[in-house]
Amino acid sequence: MGFRNIHFIINPVAGNGKSPLTKEYLEQYFINSFHHLSVKYSTHKKHAIKLAKTSIAEGADIIVACGGDGTVNEVASSLVGTSIPLGIIPIGSGNGLASNLSIPKNLRRALELIKNSHTVRIDVGRINDKYFFSNTGLGFDASVIKNYESSERRTLTGYLMACLRTFRQLKQSGDIKICINDLNILIDPFMIFASNSNEMGYKLSLTPKASLKDGLLDVLVISKIGRFKMLLLGILMVLNKSHLMKEVKSFQTKSLVLINQGVPLCILKSMANYIKFRMEEFPFKLKNMNWRSLFRKTLNRSVYLARLKHFKLSLDFAITLLP
């Protein structure tokens, strides 16, 4: 039956703030005689960190982050170093990590994943003493996130407005030294972007080839560009073709160091396979399916996977953080 003591940490203003998630709503998807649900609501930034630590002390078997990437990051960061699994119910606006992991937005299906305990293993990024699970950046991208978080619009339109605001506020940052893969690069950057996953949210990506399971960070370094090329970059980003610009340099690395005027700004590292994400069972419900016959005829794994793809089945899961 999977996890028994399930703790939900809900951001009530995530997305459009109209999620129906309450304890009463959640209880209809679980077995009252077996599952024990605890529901907590975050009310301000970093509150989910405190709530997650409380749930750890209360002996949670799994802690489920219900919100967007911000809520997920706060809860997941609190679980690093513990054996407590992380679940995700994506009710935020961007949901970049959940989308990359193919976690459905449909609440019923997402809750079934938590109930059935599906896990796999993924990487975690670290910048200085903080963890990140999707991506982090310096320069234009970091300014966009700052403006987006200060906005009341948690939509794609709000994200685009944050981009325009950052566009108007753009300032020269000065030269930064990047130490990566035995190279020392001195650059006045428009953006330095490090990604653990291949999606930023809203199906947008600067690193479409990034993988959560390769033990590497995908790093994008973009030198200073003019406003016209900024607009061009935005178009190419929507098309997942940002690499076509000559000012864009891509790297894969396990770590990098950023130095400004001789002082290290930050150290970024990839912690390979730090999150366990293992498939335990398949919650498929297909009519008129003879499973014994199917497995007999598909001993070859590649044939089996091809048939699953043919039936357009989705694999559902939660995430477990390893100590």
Side-chain angles (χ1 to χ4, degrees):
M1 292 185 184
F3 305 111
R4 186 179 180 88
N5 297 311
I6 305 175
H7 287 226
F8 293 86
I9 295 178
I10 302 171
N11 180 356
V13 299
N16 58 16
K18 296 181 180 179
S19 171
L21 289 180
T22 62
K23 187 171 183 179
E24 292 72 21
Y25 178 89
L26 293 168
E27 284 177 340
Q28 63 182 313
Y29 293 97
F30 295 89
I31 302 172
N32 292 334
S33 60
F34 178 80
H35 297 107
H36 298 284
L37 307 187
S38 173
V39 176
K40 300 178 174 69
Y41 296 93
S42 63
T43 58
H44 53 271
K45 192 173 182 179
K46 296 186 178 180
H47 189 202
I49 297 174
K50 182 178 180 180
L51 296 177
K53 290 180 178 178
T54 300
S55 288
I56 293 171
E58 292 173 348
D61 292 328
I62 180 173
I63 300 178
V64 184
C66 307
D69 286 323
T71 305
V72 170
N73 194 80
E74 288 186 11
V75 175
S77 295
S78 304
L79 295 178
V80 173
T82 78
S83 59
I84 299 175
L86 167 74
I88 298 177
I89 303 296
I91 59 173
S93 49
N95 304 311
L97 182 61
S99 179
N100 188 212
L101 292 170
S102 299
I103 297 175
K105 288 185 178 181
N106 179 278
L107 291 179
R108 181 189 62 78
R109 290 183 58 210
L111 287 166
E112 282 295 323
L113 310 187
I114 305 302
K115 183 178 177 181
N116 290 298
S117 312
H118 304 280
T119 59
V120 296
R121 193 185 299 265
I122 67 171
D123 306 333
V124 173
R126 188 173 73 183
I127 177 168
N128 294 339
D129 60 346
K130 296 182 179 180
Y131 300 104
F132 64 95
F133 303 86
S134 291
N135 45 67
T136 189
L138 177 74
F140 185 81
D141 177 65
S143 297
V144 169
I145 297 302
K146 182 178 179 180
N147 284 325
Y148 179 69
E149 289 182 345
S150 65
S151 169
E152 295 182 356
R153 295 184 180 182
R154 290 296 186 267
T155 61
L156 178 57
T157 300
Y159 184 81
L160 294 175
M161 292 299 292
C163 289
L164 291 175
R165 185 178 177 186
T166 304
F167 187 79
R168 292 194 296 266
Q169 297 171 339
L170 202 61
K171 298 178 181 179
Q172 186 172 352
S173 58
D175 288 344
I176 290 178
K177 183 179 180 181
I178 305 171
C179 303
I180 183 171
N181 295 346
D182 297 324
L183 297 174
N184 293 320
I185 304 170
L186 188 64
I187 189 173
D188 180 3
F190 168 70
M191 181 193 302
I192 300 173
F193 183 83
S195 183
N196 185 47
S197 69
N198 67 4
E199 188 174 329
M200 299 165 57
Y202 302 110
K203 301 296 182 181
L204 299 176
S205 178
L206 283 170
T207 53
K209 295 183 180 180
S211 170
L212 287 164
K213 304 180 223 179
D214 62 358
L216 299 171
L217 293 173
D218 280 55
V219 179
L220 213 65
V221 178
I222 306 177
S223 59
K224 186 178 178 181
I225 55 178
R227 295 182 183 275
F228 173 76
K229 285 203 171 181
M230 291 179 202
L231 295 174
L232 177 60
L233 175 64
I235 295 171
L236 292 175
M237 186 175 73
V238 171
L239 300 174
N240 290 337
K241 300 289 184 180
S242 58
H243 62 278
L244 295 178
M245 286 184 62
K246 65 178 182 179
E247 292 84 359
V248 176
K249 305 297 181 186
S250 300
F251 303 88
Q252 282 193 319
T253 185
K254 290 185 177 181
S255 65
L256 69 150
V257 179
L258 305 181
I259 301 173
N260 181 239
Q261 297 181 348
V263 180
L265 289 175
C266 59
I267 301 173
L268 293 94
K269 294 183 178 181
S270 174
M271 302 165 66
N273 294 328
Y274 205 78
I275 298 179
K276 186 180 179 186
F277 186 77
R278 179 171 54 84
M279 206 66 65
E280 291 183 350
E281 58 179 318
F282 301 96
F284 301 151
K285 296 180 180 179
L286 293 181
K287 295 181 179 179
N288 302 321
M289 175 61 69
N290 186 325
W291 284 105
R292 290 185 180 180
S293 175
L294 174 63
F295 278 100
R296 270 201 310 269
K297 295 178 182 179
T298 56
L299 294 178
N300 184 305
R301 186 172 181 271
S302 62
V303 175
Y304 175 58
L305 292 176
R307 293 196 177 192
L308 290 182
K309 184 176 181 181
H310 175 70
F311 286 124
K312 297 182 180 179
L313 303 179
S314 60
L315 305 184
D316 299 334
F317 47 79
I319 302 174
T320 301
L321 296 165
L322 293 179

